[in-house]
Amino acid sequence: MAELLYGLGRACAHRARTVIAIWLSLLVASGAAFLLFSGELEGGFSIPGTPTDDVDRLRSAEFSDMGGGAGTVVYRTEGGSPFTDEQREAIADRAERATEVPGVSAAVDPFATEAERADGARELEEGRAEIDEGLEELDAGQAELDAAREQAEADGTLDLTEAVFDGGQAEIDAGREELEEGLAEVERGESLMEMASGLRMVSEDGDTALVMVSFTDEQMDIPQETRDAVMAVFEDDPVPGTTVDFNSDMAQSLPTLFGPAEVVGVVVAAVVLVIMLGTLVGAGLPLLTALVGVGIATLIAMSLSGVLEMASVTPILGLMLGLAVGIDYALFIVNRHRRQLKQGVEVEESIGLANGTAGNAVVFAGTTVLIALLGLNLTGIGFLGLMGTMGAVAIAVAVVVAITLVPALLSLIGVRILSRRERARLAERASGNGGTAPEPVRPMSTGGALLRAAVAVTALVVVALPALDLRLGMPDGSSEPTDSTQYRAHTIVEEEFGAGNNGTLLVVARLTGGPDEEAAELNAEREQALIAEEIHAHDDVAAVAPIAVSDDQTHAAFQVVPVEGPTSESTERLVHDLRGLEPIKGTGVLGVAGMASGNIDISETLDEALPIYLTVVVGMSLVILLLVFRSILVPIVATLGFILSFFASLGGVVAVYQWGWLGGLIGLENTGPVLNFLPTILAGILFGLAMDYMLFIGTGMREAYVHGTPARAAVVQGFRAGRAVVTAAAIIMISVFGGFVFSHSVMISSIGFALAFGVLIDAFVVRMLLVPALMHLAGNAAWWLPKWLDRLLPDIDVEGAALERRHSAGAGETGGGEDPRSPEARAGVPAEHR
């Protein structure tokens, strides 16, 4: 591979303008594909086969008018006074006009609904009064009949009139039975009315009203154009004296691909590049190539959104990864090229060597990240696998850009990649006036290593502790920016109608039916009330109301309002409790759906998939590191370090986004559960990046050791060789990821924070503090490998050491020395011990 990349680098350098033209053509073609084929991004997530999905499919099959999604329009008077008649009429008019929008099946006038509720309550009251009056009349008739019977018995005429008395008694009994049946029906109605009292469309003080809009398409399939058209009906023609807002089901806020905060992150990365490389042209090259690569990858992802159901966060994740990794990979090659130029290597030869050595490491590191991201498909969760695949595309493009476009640009720049001072020193060296003695290498003290390891492990464990309180969920209206219409709608509903009205549940129950239609209808009425009472008996239920019965009277649907909001623990507990409830024996347990229920199911599915994915990632880590470092201990140390950095990253996310610690520093206004797919995404990405840093730190240690440097001195020598580039790479990644922390979208912000904090922990605490300390304490044992295993493992020359030796004469390097891939060297035996 190293020799192939060497040749590729030289070829790209020789035909630089052709390579640049090809990449520009690819960028233009990607843009054209985006313009021609891009579709609409999804604002939410779904997983087929979950309990919520099963109920949704049952609902569509059994309830013909309940198959679509819904949204809520929130009206409120400006002065806090009740709506006037004119305002009520105007809102009703807007609701009627909303039904004319294509894709809308209904828009409910809240005032008409409340009027119907009031009429129903009045009818029940009147019905009870009539029944009470009828019962009183029957009681009076019974008293008269009993008195007449007694009189006839006293007169001795009972035998003659008994038939008349029996007829009268039968008539009274029939009337009483009929009235008692009516009373039972009224009592059921009153009970249902009482249980549904929390389901209001107009607030008790009369200053807030909810217009419920139903769509023909499923919630996830509602086109944004339809939502926008509905919102325009209410926004473009405002009702005087009122404000109007829309909940998150209606006004989905899709995060922007790139904003001012992200630009700041790139600027910080540019400053780091200038400091490290010393020239503006050198700093601009990694930025330019990263932008080209991420532009192509992002446009490809967006162009596929027309044929794939793609969440809005998917292309942003690819952008985030492609930008950070693209800068870093270009930096690795440029840094190696600069170092070789300063050693006197000719430009084109140096480009080839840099591509065959650092470029080889880039290919290996990128492949590691790519495999980890593609591994997300193993979770069996569609949207997560697609995220991983699009992220892998961004990584693949970044790698190919690094090993082709970077050499081409380096060829055009020539020695200007070095600063004037560096070129002057190079000229002095060529005339024999330069050169300095290498800095002596001294191993760290054992006591210092113990202290470093103890401090690192303690810090990581302490930071990871909040992860024990991790709660997964999806952002709702409360997590939107406080100046957004979704946040205002969420807050108003919570204040005026209760928190549970922001996350109502749909509950479907199976009924017993009946031998004929009339019997089935009677059974359905009775069983609806029974089921509603069973549901309402739960402490976490604020209100429940029957809303539909299937045509064959075998299923009933209920709207349930939890006491607390959709992301609360009590609502999650309620969903599970209801799913275990069987109000009517033999009909099966209740089914629960709704946005809150769906998010709970997604979170639990992801939670179950995470251990499996972590196991795969940890296994991959051990195998990859075993191949690279030909050691038993190093892979274990590096993998344990990854596990610690992963949980420490989660701990930081919980502390900030769930507990609210230091949230004000990043503009976080509201806290809530952690994004449900964040731990899985974090595991895959952080694993790949951790392997990158381990590669660039650890291989230097390995090369020093197999060249005869004592094990503990090799740790320091390898650390010094890799710390500058790893530090710069880590700061760049932290800057790029950190720019996304300030996104208005909590999803993007939390992902950016997790990755930035994860890189910070892994690069500076694990790779630069913990790993060197443990390697020092292990000594020679760090490089021990059984001989039988050494013979079985393939020889992977990640940094292209063999290529470097073959081209040492042309590169102007000292050459010589032993073959670090010799049997003795690969067995980890220092030269002085052979």
Side-chain angles (χ1 to χ4, degrees), residues 671-687:
T671 60
V674 173
L675 183 64
N676 49 25
F677 59 83
L678 188 148
T680 312
I681 285 285
L682 177 64
I685 297 173
L686 189 59
F687 162 72

Side-chain angles (χ1 to χ4, degrees), residues 366-699:
T367 303
T368 303
V369 183
L370 189 144
I371 292 172
L373 288 170
L374 290 177
L376 290 170
N377 289 280
L378 298 176
T379 62
I381 299 170
F383 75 85
L384 196 61
L386 184 59
M387 280 185 193
T389 301
M390 292 298 103
V393 169
I395 298 297
V397 173
V399 169
V400 178
V401 165
I403 60 177
T404 56
L405 183 57
V406 169
L409 292 174
L410 286 175
S411 175
L412 294 180
I413 294 171
V415 294
R416 287 176 297 163
I417 197 71
L418 300 176
S419 66
R420 290 182 180 178
R421 182 177 300 177
E422 290 169 331
R423 285 180 298 206
R425 289 176 182 171
L426 181 60
E428 289 178 6
R429 178 177 176 179
S431 63
N433 298 326
T436 58
E439 183 181 352
V441 176
R442 294 181 181 176
M444 72 179 78
S445 66
T446 300
L450 284 170
L451 179 61
R452 290 185 184 189
V455 169
V457 172
T458 302
L460 289 168
V461 170
V462 169
V463 175
L465 285 177
L468 297 174
D469 190 42
L470 174 67
R471 286 186 59 242
L472 299 178
M474 282 292 292
D476 58 14
S478 65
S479 60
E480 297 287 348
T482 54
D483 60 349
S484 66
T485 186
Q486 301 97 312
Y487 179 83
R488 290 193 299 268
H490 184 97
T491 304
I492 292 171
V493 169
E494 183 172 337
E495 291 174 353
E496 298 289 345
F497 301 95
N501 279 276
N502 279 310
T504 59
L505 303 174
L506 173 70
V507 176
V508 176
R510 188 170 182 83
L511 306 177
T512 58
D516 53 52
E517 185 175 348
E518 183 178 355
E521 288 181 2
L522 291 174
N523 287 337
E525 290 180 12
R526 185 183 70 257
E527 290 170 355
Q528 273 185 300
L530 175 62
I531 295 169
E533 288 174 0
E534 289 279 347
I535 294 173
H536 194 261
H538 283 263
D539 294 336
D540 296 324
V541 173
V544 58
I547 55 175
V549 177
S550 61
D551 294 338
D552 59 1
Q553 308 293 317
T554 60
H555 291 85
F558 302 81
Q559 187 175 2
V560 177
V561 180
V563 171
E564 296 186 307
T567 60
S568 67
E569 293 183 51
S570 66
T571 299
E572 182 178 346
R573 183 172 59 248
L574 174 62
V575 169
H576 292 298
D577 289 344
L578 292 178
R579 285 174 175 167
L581 186 65
E582 187 178 12
I584 303 174
K585 299 300 180 184
T587 58
V589 295
L590 301 177
V592 183
M595 291 300 292
S597 167
N599 289 337
I600 290 169
D601 288 345
I602 292 174
S603 299
E604 291 179 350
T605 303
L606 289 165
D607 201 24
E608 292 171 1
L610 180 59
I612 299 172
Y613 182 63
L614 269 178
T615 302
V616 172
V617 166
V618 168
M620 284 171 44
S621 172
L622 291 170
V623 172
I624 290 170
L625 294 173
L626 179 65
L627 292 172
V628 172
F629 295 109
R630 312 186 75 82
S631 161
I632 297 296
L633 184 63
V634 173
I636 294 174
V637 169
T639 302
L640 289 176
F642 158 69
I643 294 172
L644 283 173
S645 60
F646 170 72
F647 283 103
S649 303
L650 280 185
V653 172
V654 170
V656 174
Y657 287 86
Q658 188 173 313
W659 293 356
W661 291 5
L662 305 178
L665 297 179
I666 60 173
L668 182 66
E669 298 169 318
N670 303 288
T671 60
V674 173
L675 183 64
N676 49 25
F677 59 83
L678 188 148
T680 312
I681 285 285
L682 177 64
I685 297 173
L686 189 59
F687 162 72
L689 301 181
M691 294 306 101
D692 284 2
Y693 300 136
M694 189 65 206
L695 179 70
F696 287 101
I697 288 288
T699 51

